[in-house]
């Protein structure tokens, strides 16, 4: 009996430790997954840049937009999942990944116009837009500027004013690891591989003052919006996201459990389920 009790105690301790480790997945930055082979892809002439894009699968279209400093390859797990029953489009935002940049200052309105032009280039009328961080901000901007191009927006870890960003984000180990990984990928993918510091300086100037939308701006959004945020997000304040959900008509707020700014990498199954629920109106 003592031996059985000892085994049960050990097993209980193992489960507690395993649970503690699982609960800390939000503190890790998993590697970007491998991307499937695209159906088509290339460089689109968009505004004053060449923009990398790729398409996968077929069906109702979903456009995935990555976050600042990153690239489309962050979406590898989502592409594999949603290309089974949807047309999936990914792209590198201007200056990011394989896309070029110009001397024109970075701005969310400009990047939104890039994606609107890309959809025109691809002859795609309407998409579900899934955006992460800067990609989510672009999604909200598109909901205001080009609602006719959207079925819905699913924005994770987005902010609508600069004070929605945590003051200590740059002290966070996981976030700094992401910046380093983004730099490595930039040097591998970019047509200007030695200009990462200049690129970061350019986009940082945008982050200092943008976005800066008002409650009245958000109140004019007419497309369905789902706002998602990890319960351990390093960059975006939860109460800011709650404010966004209050101001955007009909918006739904989803808290991603045991996940951070990088939820699509840390919990791809839960992230994909969140997207499918949003697309089903749940």
């Amino acid at each position: 009996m003592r031996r059985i009790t000892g085994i049960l105690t050990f097993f209980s301790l193992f489960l507690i430790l395993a649970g503690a480790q699982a609960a800390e997945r939000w503190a890790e930055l998993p590697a970007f997954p491998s991307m499937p082979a695209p159906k088509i892809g290339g460089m689109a002439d968009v505004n004053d840049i060449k923009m990398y894009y790729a398409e996968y699968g077929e069906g109702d279209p979903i456009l995935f937009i990555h976050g600042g400093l990153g690239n489309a390859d962050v979406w590898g797990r989502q592409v594999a999942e949603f290309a089974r029953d949807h047309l999936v489009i990914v792209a590198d935002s201007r200056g990011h990944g394989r896309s070029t940049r110009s001397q024109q200052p970075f701005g969310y309105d400009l990047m939104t116009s890039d994606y609107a032009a890309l959809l025109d280039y691809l002859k795609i009328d309407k998409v579900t837009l899934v955006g992460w961080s800067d990609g989510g901000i672009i999604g909200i901007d598109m909901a205001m500027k080009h609602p006719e191009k959207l079925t819905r927006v699913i924005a994770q870890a987005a902010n609508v004013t600069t004070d929605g960003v945590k003051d200590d984000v740059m002290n966070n180990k996981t976030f700094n690891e992401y910046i380093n990984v983004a730099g490595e990928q930039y040097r591998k993918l970019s047509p200007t591989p030695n200009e990462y510091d200049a690129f970061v300086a350019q986009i940082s100037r945008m982050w200092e003052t943008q976005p800066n939308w008002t409650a009245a701006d958000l109140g004019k959004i007419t497309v369905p919006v789902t706002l998602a945020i990890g319960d351990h997000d390093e960059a975006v304040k939860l109460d800011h996201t709650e404010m966004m959900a209050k101001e955007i008509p009909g918006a739904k707020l989803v808290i991603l459990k045991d996940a951070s700014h990088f939820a699509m990498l840390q919990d791809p199954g839960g992230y994909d389920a969140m997207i499918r629920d949003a697309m089903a109106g749940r």
Side-chain angles (χ1 to χ4, degrees), residues 5 11 26 32 37-38 46 49 57 60 73 97 116 128 131 146 164 166 168 184 194 200 235 237 245 253 266 280:
T5 303
F11 186 66
W26 48 265
F32 283 23
V46 166
I49 62 166
D60 290 338
D73 293 2
T128 287
H146 301 283
K166 294 180 178 180
D168 61 351
E184 292 169 4
N194 299 320
V200 172
K237 299 173 183 176
L253 175 63
Q266 295 160 341

Side-chain angles (χ1 to χ4, degrees), residues 176-188:
N176 275 285
E177 185 180 350
Y178 166 71
I179 292 173
N180 292 333
V181 169
E184 292 169 4
Q185 297 214 346
Y186 181 93
R187 287 183 278 274
K188 182 176 71 173

Side-chain angles (χ1 to χ4, degrees), residues 161-172 175-176 233-237:
T161 59
T162 55
D163 61 5
V165 178
K166 294 180 178 180
D167 293 335
D168 61 351
V169 60
M170 296 312 297
N171 298 327
N172 182 273
F175 202 86
N176 275 285
D233 196 293
E234 306 90 341
V236 178
K237 299 173 183 176

Side-chain angles (χ1 to χ4, degrees), residues 69-71 95-99 101 180-200 202:
L69 308 183
N71 61 73
H96 295 67
R98 289 143 287 216
S99 295
R101 72 187 194 279
N180 292 333
V181 169
E184 292 169 4
Q185 297 214 346
Y186 181 93
R187 287 183 278 274
K188 182 176 71 173
L189 298 174
S190 176
T192 55
N194 299 320
E195 296 182 15
Y196 185 62
D197 290 345
F199 160 63
V200 172
Q202 277 185 287

Side-chain angles (χ1 to χ4, degrees):
M1 179 63 73
R2 257 185 224 165
R3 185 164 181 270
I4 292 173
T5 303
I7 290 171
L8 289 174
T9 301
F10 175 80
F11 186 66
S12 298
L13 180 61
F14 173 81
L15 289 177
I16 291 169
L17 291 173
Q21 288 179 340
E24 293 179 359
R25 66 184 178 189
W26 48 265
E28 302 296 328
L29 181 71
F32 283 23
S34 299
M35 292 289 279
K39 182 172 65 174
I40 61 169
M43 305 294 288
D45 288 316
V46 166
N47 293 332
D48 56 348
I49 62 166
K50 291 189 179 296
M51 189 173 193
Y52 169 80
Y53 72 94
E55 291 186 4
Y56 306 81
E58 55 186 54
D60 290 338
I62 307 176
L63 170 63
F64 285 89
I65 304 181
H66 63 82
L69 308 183
N71 61 73
D73 293 2
V74 73
W75 298 116
R77 297 190 192 281
Q78 286 68 46
V79 169
E81 165 64 20
F82 288 94
R84 296 188 297 114
D85 52 2
H86 288 83
L87 170 64
V88 174
I89 308 107
V90 298
D92 291 340
S93 298
R94 71 166 48 224
H96 295 67
R98 289 143 287 216
S99 295
T100 67
R101 72 187 194 279
S102 68
Q103 292 305 308
Q104 193 170 178
F106 278 89
Y108 288 111
D109 285 353
L110 176 60
M111 290 196 288
T112 297
S113 74
D114 291 338
Y115 278 98
L118 177 66
L119 292 177
D120 290 342
Y121 177 89
L122 298 175
K123 296 181 171 55
I124 295 173
D125 294 331
K126 220 175 183 67
V127 296
T128 287
L129 191 158
V130 179
W132 157 56
S133 195
D134 272 8
I137 297 171
I138 291 168
I140 292 167
D141 198 19
M142 191 170 288
M144 293 188 282
K145 303 291 194 312
H146 301 283
E148 75 283 353
K149 293 186 177 297
L150 297 171
T151 304
R152 67 186 57 78
V153 172
I154 302 165
Q156 180 237 330
N159 56 290
V160 293
T161 59
T162 55
D163 61 5
V165 178
K166 294 180 178 180
D167 293 335
D168 61 351
V169 60
M170 296 312 297
N171 298 327
N172 182 273
K173 174 180 173 291
T174 311
F175 202 86
N176 275 285
E177 185 180 350
Y178 166 71
I179 292 173
N180 292 333
V181 169
E184 292 169 4
Q185 297 214 346
Y186 181 93
R187 287 183 278 274
K188 182 176 71 173
L189 298 174
S190 176
T192 55
N194 299 320
E195 296 182 15
Y196 185 62
D197 290 345
F199 160 63
V200 172
Q202 277 185 287
I203 202 165
S204 294
R205 284 193 285 274
M206 176 185 75
W207 290 336
E208 288 170 4
T209 59
Q210 298 182 36
N212 55 4
W213 297 312
T214 65
D217 294 329
L218 301 180
K220 295 174 184 174
I221 292 175
T222 57
V223 301
V225 174
T226 296
L227 300 167
I229 187 167
D231 58 2
H232 288 83
D233 196 293
E234 306 90 341
V236 178
K237 299 173 183 176
L238 174 59
D239 60 357
H240 181 81
T241 310
E242 291 171 337
M243 176 276 293
M244 292 165 58
K246 179 181 176 184
E247 299 296 346
I248 297 174
K252 180 180 179 183
L253 175 63
V254 178
I255 308 297
L256 302 169
K257 184 174 172 53
D258 295 333
S260 81
H261 203 69
F262 311 101
M264 79 293 293
L265 297 172
Q266 295 160 341
D267 181 21
Y271 200 87
D272 296 348
M274 177 272 293
I275 294 171
R276 290 201 181 274
D277 282 349
M279 292 176 70
R282 295 193 292 268

